[in-house]
Amino acid sequence: MARKRVGNKRERIIAAAAKLFGEKDYHDTTTAKIAESAGVAAGTIYIYFRSKEELLVAVFEEFLGRHMDRLREGVEREKTPRDKLMRLLTLGLELMEDNPDSARIFLSQLRQSTKMITVVVKRSSRAYKDIIEEILTECARAGVCRDVNVPAASSMLFGAFQNTVLDWVAHECSYSLTDLSGDLSEFVLHGICCESTEEKGAVQ
Amino acid sequence: MARKRVGNKRERIIAAAAKLFGEKDYHDTTTAKIAESAGVAAGTIYIYFRSKEELLVAVFEEFLGRHMDRLREGVEREKTPRDKLMRLLTLGLELMEDNPDSARIFLSQLRQSTKMITVVVKRSSRAYKDIIEEILTECARAGVCRDVNVPAASSMLFGAFQNTVLDWVAHECSYSLTDLSGDLSEFVLHGICCESTEEKGAVQ
Amino acid sequence: MARKRVGNKRERIIAAAAKLFGEKDYHDTTTAKIAESAGVAAGTIYIYFRSKEELLVAVFEEFLGRHMDRLREGVEREKTPRDKLMRLLTLGLELMEDNPDSARIFLSQLRQSTKMITVVVKRSSRAYKDIIEEILTECARAGVCRDVNVPAASSMLFGAFQNTVLDWVAHECSYSLTDLSGDLSEFVLHGICCESTEEKGAVQ
Amino acid sequence: MARKRVGNKRERIIAAAAKLFGEKDYHDTTTAKIAESAGVAAGTIYIYFRSKEELLVAVFEEFLGRHMDRLREGVEREKTPRDKLMRLLTLGLELMEDNPDSARIFLSQLRQSTKMITVVVKRSSRAYKDIIEEILTECARAGVCRDVNVPAASSMLFGAFQNTVLDWVAHECSYSLTDLSGDLSEFVLHGICCESTEEKGAVQ
DNA sequence: AATGAATGAGTCTTCATTCAT
DNA sequence: AATGAATGAAGACTCATTCAT
């Protein structure tokens, strides 16, 4: 149980940090407030994390680790590259809708600098992009995709996705994010794949 | 000449701030360093700006004010909505490529919080979005556009654009940004408009 | 002992502040110097006091809290209003003589402004005046006192007292303050009460 | 006229300083605000005064110089020492009532430190005390006065006077100060001179 | 004499981090 | 492992004073 308590503490700190970093921002959140919110002493944070910066990184990794699997899993259950792409976007929006705090960090802090953070964040968000690029490459190979510049397209897709979520957060999550699933999918599918209503009609 | 000196100082401070905010980030940039880099005394900043925060806002507005007109102008010179959209994206990339410092701020700081900043930034970036939404609405009316959710599409488009620039910045501006003009235009045009010569031909 | 250490620090800061505020004045005393003089780090002050201003207030309250009881107690031990008045003045001078630093603050800072301070100081010195007015009222009721305007007389009495101490402080405490006890008592007693053995005898 | 303008400026600066020092306090009043209120440029102050401190001194001296003569004159017009004392107090209160701003400085700033100021202030208020001591000595010689310690009594008298005015200022000058003339005179006369209503009756 | 933009030393305060218990 | 009092470096901002015009 003592062991459990320990794990408990690390988790509680990460959870508190995620909440607070999301509410304010990295610089406006003090380690003191995180400790208080996590119900631990100020010094305790430094037993689990070397620095405040490392805590932020841990928050990211926790977020990614927790969701990336679900994402990859969901994607792989689909058969066609096209469906995979759709599933990726839909699941992504669902994930964000369920974790507004994490979403906030993912989006806002993603663009803060300070060397170390930047580096780690790049590495972390790399995971996301990897999935995207994988699918796009698959699409390209399958011929369902126009001959796009994969990294560029992946970046655009990611940007479109991010901004959709960002707007939702900026509007204080006052509407359903998953309702935009269709709009986003359509935008992306048309932007990347050679599909359109006309073609669908043609298929019939 | 005295007049010039004065204007000069304000400008130099803004320029120095733009450079430094872009290199590091708002919190890692001290007013002392800005002053030094601008070649003025520490206190001088506070003759022209009420606070560090207000200086950041000024940097934004300077950036927008300087470019928004060129953007709007270039767009309006085009005839068809489709060409307008293309021109918007192309010009946007050109602008960013020519002002990497401003670009950095525009992209990174855009997502920082602190009430006041957020408010002003929203107002500022509103200008950008207004242009986009205008064009999209025009496209919709002209029928060259699928029946999209204009604000949502606009947000996605903006995100795709931003991320394209962000990647470029993250790669230390080591390649030509405008070279991606074609990729971006195509992505957006397909994503939003119901056109593409190849497909049209294919349908027939 | 840990408990003692803590209390010790707060006390040491207050003592150091009392000393320095007395020597220079509020604005010429830096928090850095107070910390140094108290043998603590600069930041430690802010663990115990929210601001420099609040520290000043604490110094006052410490002073009043420490002495007011002794004063009130001594006064109440006396039987006649006249003796109470004398005891008040005598004890007051003794108190000041024993705590020159506190005396300095009590006298000099008492007349500084800045809203918050003013308010608290008014409240604090109110305690002093309350005792005085109480006694005067008692005197009036007992008929040993001319028909004076109590608040006005109290104010004059307080002023006479204060200035006596102030002069002593201005002369660098180079003479015995309590030696003036007689002069002050006589001044006040004649000024307020209708008595003096000599005169009474003379009248007859 | 140019000459007059100059004199005008010095005066305007002193007047503005008197007003502002009275409203806030020395440290809360910036030279910038004084300049603005006086309708001159910031640098102009330093043509007439070597420093802010020297300006404060000038304000005092202006105040004293302007009133001391009236005071001394009024006092000398009286015949008996007792009347002189009364006139001194009455005139003093009138002066204060007519110049609340100056009064405020006279009272509050009088007790601020910073070496130089203290020194000059001592010298300045010396003038006041000189008049008082003069009269008291005269009283003593004439036998209308108990055998008091003249400097001590003078100090008490001054304190009683000051505090009476201070209370008035603290109550925002909301009542008539000169109305207290009687109370103050009586307090002082009884406190120092061997006079009282009973005695007056006895004399007859 | 007058201006007012510019200066830069000086201050309060915050907060990540440490360490004795 | 946990605590939380203590640290002290760092930073935004103010303002008396100067000086080129």
Side-chain angles (χ1 to χ4, degrees):
Chain A
M1 196 184 126
R3 187 100 150 261
K4 210 174 176 184
R5 252 288 207 51
V6 169
N8 211 3
K9 250 165 204 174
R10 213 191 112 96
E11 279 166 35
R12 264 156 50 205
I13 293 171
I14 289 191
K19 185 168 168 323
L20 295 176
F21 284 154
E23 277 171 24
K24 298 280 192 177
D25 92 357
Y26 182 73
H27 288 283
D28 290 344
T29 305
T30 65
T31 55
K33 270 185 256 166
I34 295 174
E36 190 200 328
S37 167
V40 301
T44 306
I45 290 179
Y46 290 83
I47 294 172
Y48 296 98
F49 307 94
R50 219 184 301 281
S51 69
K52 189 187 175 189
E53 221 166 21
E54 198 173 90
L55 172 56
L56 175 56
V57 171
V59 170
F60 268 105
E61 300 199 320
E62 214 278 330
F63 172 80
L64 290 171
R66 188 142 46 90
H67 302 311
M68 208 51 77
D69 290 339
R70 255 183 74 194
L71 214 54
R72 193 174 279 281
E73 205 178 280
V75 164
E76 270 160 19
R77 205 173 300 143
E78 301 294 335
K79 294 283 149 44
T80 71
R82 187 186 161 281
D83 286 343
K84 286 183 179 179
L85 199 48
M86 278 192 64
R87 174 67 63 202
L88 176 74
L89 298 169
T90 311
L91 261 178
L93 291 182
E94 274 173 33
L95 242 54
M96 293 295 178
E97 185 150 42
D98 292 346
N99 305 276
D101 283 334
S102 305
R104 256 185 282 262
I105 303 179
F106 181 62
L107 294 164
S108 341
Q109 308 301 323
L110 206 59
R111 299 196 174 172
Q112 302 241 358
S113 0
T114 327
K115 276 140 291 177
M116 187 194 166
I117 297 187
T118 311
V119 173
V120 183
V121 165
K122 263 186 195 159
R123 175 159 61 74
S124 308
S125 71
R126 191 68 244 159
Y128 244 129
K129 293 204 176 167
D130 278 347
I131 300 190
I132 301 179
E133 295 198 8
E134 235 168 69
I135 299 179
L136 288 192
T137 307
E138 215 178 315
C139 286
R141 247 190 270 116
V144 295
C145 180
R146 284 179 299 100
D147 180 29
V148 293
N149 173 342
V150 171
S154 146
S155 186
M156 294 170 200
L157 188 162
F158 195 47
F161 171 77
Q162 272 190 110
N163 233 28
T164 297
V165 182
L166 193 59
D167 267 11
W168 173 70
V169 164
H171 284 83
E172 280 157 26
C173 314
S174 56
Y175 51 84
S176 164
L177 183 57
T178 40
D179 278 1
L180 292 178
S181 212
D183 289 316
L184 180 58
S185 295
E186 233 182 278
F187 181 81
V188 168
L189 288 176
H190 282 91
I192 289 166
C193 304
C194 27
E195 169 170 333
S196 74
T197 33
E198 295 89 345
E199 284 165 6
K200 273 185 182 171
V203 169
Q204 293 178 327
Chain B
M1 197 184 124
R3 185 95 146 273
K4 210 173 179 182
R5 252 282 210 52
V6 169
N8 215 3
K9 235 152 218 177
R10 215 191 109 97
E11 277 167 36
R12 263 157 51 205
I13 293 171
I14 289 192
K19 185 168 168 323
L20 295 176
F21 284 155
E23 276 170 24
K24 297 278 194 178
D25 92 354
Y26 182 73
H27 288 283
D28 291 342
T29 305
T30 65
T31 55
K33 270 185 255 167
I34 294 174
E36 191 200 328
S37 166
V40 302
T44 305
I45 290 180
Y46 292 84
I47 295 176
Y48 296 98
F49 308 94
R50 225 183 298 280
S51 68
K52 189 187 173 189
E53 213 167 26
E54 199 172 271
L55 171 55
L56 176 56
V57 171
V59 169
F60 269 105
E61 299 200 319
E62 215 277 331
F63 172 79
L64 289 171
R66 190 140 48 88
H67 302 311
M68 208 51 77
D69 289 339
R70 254 182 74 194
L71 214 54
R72 194 173 275 283
E73 206 177 280
V75 165
E76 271 161 18
R77 207 172 298 143
E78 301 295 334
K79 294 281 150 47
T80 72
R82 187 186 161 284
D83 287 342
K84 286 184 179 179
L85 199 49
M86 279 191 63
R87 173 68 63 206
L88 176 73
L89 297 168
T90 311
L91 262 179
L93 292 181
E94 274 173 33
L95 241 54
M96 293 295 178
E97 185 151 42
D98 293 345
N99 306 276
D101 283 334
S102 305
R104 256 185 282 262
I105 303 178
F106 181 62
L107 294 165
S108 342
Q109 308 300 325
L110 205 58
R111 298 196 175 172
Q112 302 245 358
S113 12
T114 329
K115 275 139 286 182
M116 186 196 166
I117 297 186
T118 310
V119 172
V120 184
V121 165
K122 263 187 196 159
R123 176 160 62 72
S124 308
S125 70
R126 191 67 245 157
Y128 246 130
K129 294 205 175 165
D130 277 347
I131 300 191
I132 301 179
E133 295 198 7
E134 232 169 73
I135 299 179
L136 289 191
T137 307
E138 213 177 319
C139 287
R141 247 189 271 116
V144 295
C145 180
R146 284 180 299 102
D147 182 29
V148 294
N149 173 343
V150 169
S154 144
S155 186
M156 294 168 200
L157 187 163
F158 196 47
F161 172 78
Q162 271 190 113
N163 233 29
T164 298
V165 181
L166 193 59
D167 267 11
W168 174 69
V169 163
H171 284 82
E172 280 158 27
C173 314
S174 56
Y175 52 84
S176 163
L177 184 58
T178 40
D179 279 0
L180 293 178
S181 211
D183 290 316
L184 180 59
S185 295
E186 233 181 280
F187 181 81
V188 167
L189 287 176
H190 281 92
I192 290 166
C193 304
C194 33
E195 96 180 52
S196 131
T197 34
E198 298 92 341
E199 282 166 11
K200 274 183 179 170
V203 169
Q204 292 179 328
Chain C
M1 198 183 124
R3 185 95 147 273
K4 209 173 178 184
R5 251 284 209 51
V6 170
N8 214 2
K9 234 150 218 178
R10 215 192 110 96
E11 278 166 35
R12 263 156 54 205
I13 293 170
I14 289 192
K19 185 169 169 319
L20 294 176
F21 285 155
E23 277 170 26
K24 297 278 193 177
D25 94 354
Y26 182 73
H27 288 283
D28 290 341
T29 305
T30 65
T31 55
K33 270 184 254 166
I34 295 174
E36 191 199 328
S37 166
V40 301
T44 305
I45 290 179
Y46 291 84
I47 294 175
Y48 296 97
F49 307 94
R50 224 183 298 283
S51 68
K52 189 188 174 188
E53 214 167 25
E54 198 173 272
L55 172 55
L56 176 56
V57 171
V59 169
F60 268 105
E61 299 200 320
E62 215 279 329
F63 172 80
L64 290 171
R66 190 142 47 89
H67 301 311
M68 208 51 76
D69 289 339
R70 255 183 73 195
L71 214 54
R72 193 173 278 281
E73 205 177 281
V75 165
E76 270 160 21
R77 204 173 301 144
E78 301 293 336
K79 295 280 151 44
T80 72
R82 187 185 162 282
D83 287 343
K84 287 184 179 178
L85 199 49
M86 279 193 64
R87 174 66 64 204
L88 177 73
L89 298 169
T90 311
L91 262 179
L93 292 182
E94 274 172 34
L95 243 53
M96 293 294 179
E97 185 150 42
D98 292 345
N99 306 276
D101 283 334
S102 305
R104 255 186 282 264
I105 302 179
F106 181 62
L107 296 164
S108 345
Q109 307 301 323
L110 206 58
R111 299 197 174 171
Q112 301 244 359
S113 14
T114 328
K115 276 139 287 179
M116 185 194 166
I117 297 187
T118 311
V119 172
V120 183
V121 165
K122 262 187 197 158
R123 175 160 62 73
S124 306
S125 71
R126 190 69 241 159
Y128 246 130
K129 294 205 176 165
D130 277 347
I131 299 191
I132 301 179
E133 294 198 8
E134 233 169 72
I135 299 179
L136 289 191
T137 308
E138 214 178 317
C139 288
R141 246 189 272 118
V144 296
C145 182
R146 285 180 298 102
D147 181 28
V148 294
N149 173 343
V150 170
S154 145
S155 186
M156 294 168 199
L157 187 163
F158 196 47
F161 172 77
Q162 272 191 112
N163 232 30
T164 297
V165 182
L166 194 58
D167 267 11
W168 175 69
V169 164
H171 284 83
E172 281 156 26
C173 314
S174 56
Y175 52 84
S176 162
L177 183 58
T178 40
D179 279 359
L180 292 178
S181 210
D183 290 317
L184 180 60
S185 296
E186 235 182 277
F187 181 80
V188 168
L189 287 176
H190 280 93
I192 289 166
C193 305
C194 34
E195 95 179 58
S196 134
T197 33
E198 298 90 342
E199 283 167 8
K200 274 184 181 170
V203 169
Q204 292 178 328
Chain D
M1 194 185 126
R3 188 99 149 261
K4 209 174 179 182
R5 251 290 207 47
V6 169
N8 211 5
K9 248 163 208 175
R10 213 191 111 96
E11 279 166 34
R12 263 157 50 204
I13 293 170
I14 289 191
K19 186 169 169 321
L20 295 177
F21 284 154
E23 277 171 21
K24 297 279 193 178
D25 93 357
Y26 182 72
H27 288 283
D28 290 345
T29 305
T30 65
T31 55
K33 270 185 255 166
I34 295 173
E36 191 201 327
S37 167
V40 302
T44 305
I45 290 179
Y46 290 82
I47 294 172
Y48 295 98
F49 307 94
R50 219 183 301 279
S51 69
K52 189 187 174 189
E53 220 165 23
E54 197 172 272
L55 172 55
L56 175 57
V57 171
V59 169
F60 268 105
E61 300 200 319
E62 213 278 332
F63 172 79
L64 290 171
R66 188 141 48 88
H67 301 310
M68 209 50 78
D69 290 340
R70 256 182 73 194
L71 213 55
R72 192 173 279 283
E73 206 177 280
V75 164
E76 271 162 16
R77 206 173 300 144
E78 300 295 334
K79 295 282 149 47
T80 72
R82 186 189 162 281
D83 286 343
K84 287 185 179 179
L85 200 48
M86 279 193 62
R87 174 67 64 205
L88 177 73
L89 298 169
T90 312
L91 262 179
L93 292 182
E94 276 173 30
L95 240 54
M96 293 295 178
E97 185 151 43
D98 293 346
N99 305 277
D101 283 334
S102 304
R104 256 185 282 263
I105 302 179
F106 181 62
L107 295 164
S108 341
Q109 308 301 323
L110 205 60
R111 298 196 174 172
Q112 302 242 359
S113 3
T114 327
K115 277 140 288 181
M116 186 194 167
I117 297 187
T118 311
V119 173
V120 184
V121 165
K122 262 186 197 159
R123 174 159 62 72
S124 307
S125 71
R126 191 68 243 159
Y128 243 129
K129 294 205 176 165
D130 278 348
I131 300 192
I132 300 178
E133 295 198 8
E134 233 169 70
I135 299 178
L136 288 191
T137 308
E138 215 177 315
C139 287
R141 246 189 270 117
V144 295
C145 180
R146 286 180 297 103
D147 182 28
V148 294
N149 173 343
V150 170
S154 145
S155 187
M156 294 168 200
L157 187 163
F158 196 47
F161 172 77
Q162 270 190 109
N163 233 28
T164 298
V165 182
L166 194 58
D167 268 10
W168 174 70
V169 164
H171 284 84
E172 279 155 28
C173 314
S174 57
Y175 52 83
S176 162
L177 183 57
T178 40
D179 278 1
L180 292 177
S181 212
D183 289 315
L184 180 59
S185 295
E186 233 180 281
F187 181 81
V188 167
L189 287 177
H190 281 92
I192 289 166
C193 305
C194 30
E195 162 170 343
S196 74
T197 33
E198 295 90 343
E199 284 165 7
K200 272 185 181 170
V203 170
Q204 292 178 327

